[in-house]
Amino acid sequence: VTIGLVLFYAHLLPDMVASHFDSAGQANASLEREQFIYTFLVLLVLTPGLIVLQPSIIKRLPNRLTKLEAGDHCLDVERVDKKGKTLQVVFLVLGIKLTCFLGSVYWLVLRANLSYPPMISMQYLMIVTSIFLLLIVCWAIFWQSYFKVTH
């Protein structure tokens, strides 16, 4: 859906897209529209895609590389196999959260480029980033408690 939205609204972007903004929200770097769209699509597909693939990658690694023990927590191949489905769901949710965050950033960049001079709303960017970080903290707490070793 996010890829579709990026492509659908791409025609609204100017030929030179303000792609980077300073702390005041003013544009300080730009890319050609096609370069911005391709770069953003690659970022939008590869980053969440690699996150979603983590459980499959972990399963294929040798046990000596995947056995991580820290206090009451353990992640080894046997635990991953037992909880593999849950691990896939957890990473899928993380990938979805990241995709939504990147889509929100794209929307803010699009809105910024519809005005002259291009200026991004730092207030909205901080709200979107704060929500994303809060969701990531909740995700991390869930992940940590789920893989806590029970004696």
Side-chain angles (χ1 to χ4, degrees):
V1 171
T2 307
I3 292 169
L5 291 172
V6 168
L7 295 173
F8 182 77
Y9 288 108
H11 73 281
L12 296 176
L13 292 168
D15 292 336
M16 289 300 291
V17 178
S19 58
H20 191 271
F21 301 85
D22 63 19
S23 61
Q26 298 177 359
N28 60 9
S30 60
L31 292 170
E32 292 180 8
R33 177 178 36 218
E34 290 77 21
Q35 185 180 12
F36 175 78
I37 295 299
Y38 293 140
T39 302
F40 204 87
L41 287 173
V42 166
L43 178 69
L44 192 59
V45 171
L46 282 184
T47 307
L50 289 174
I51 288 172
V52 170
L53 290 175
Q54 288 301 313
S56 297
I57 293 168
I58 290 171
K59 282 183 181 180
R60 288 177 175 77
L61 291 173
N63 193 31
R64 64 181 172 75
L65 296 177
T66 60
K67 188 166 184 158
L68 305 172
E69 292 186 31
D72 292 337
H73 295 83
C74 180
L75 175 62
D76 61 24
V77 173
E78 288 139 16
R79 284 183 67 80
V80 169
D81 286 342
K82 289 178 186 174
K83 297 186 178 187
K85 297 280 188 218
T86 301
L87 190 62
Q88 287 175 338
V89 170
V90 170
F91 277 94
L92 178 62
V93 169
L94 176 61
I96 290 169
K97 290 176 185 181
L98 182 59
T99 301
C100 291
F101 173 70
L102 292 173
S104 300
V105 170
Y106 176 81
W107 184 253
L108 291 172
V109 171
L110 174 69
R111 287 180 47 114
N113 279 278
L114 294 178
S115 62
Y116 186 81
M119 189 158 185
I120 199 164
S121 168
M122 293 306 289
Q123 180 182 4
Y124 288 141
L125 182 59
M126 294 307 292
I127 290 169
V128 166
T129 304
S130 297
I131 291 170
F132 174 69
L133 291 175
L134 178 65
L135 291 172
I136 293 303
V137 167
C138 292
W139 174 85
I141 290 169
F142 170 78
W143 189 87
Q144 182 182 23
S145 65
Y146 190 82
F147 284 97
K148 189 170 183 123
V149 175
T150 54
H151 299 284

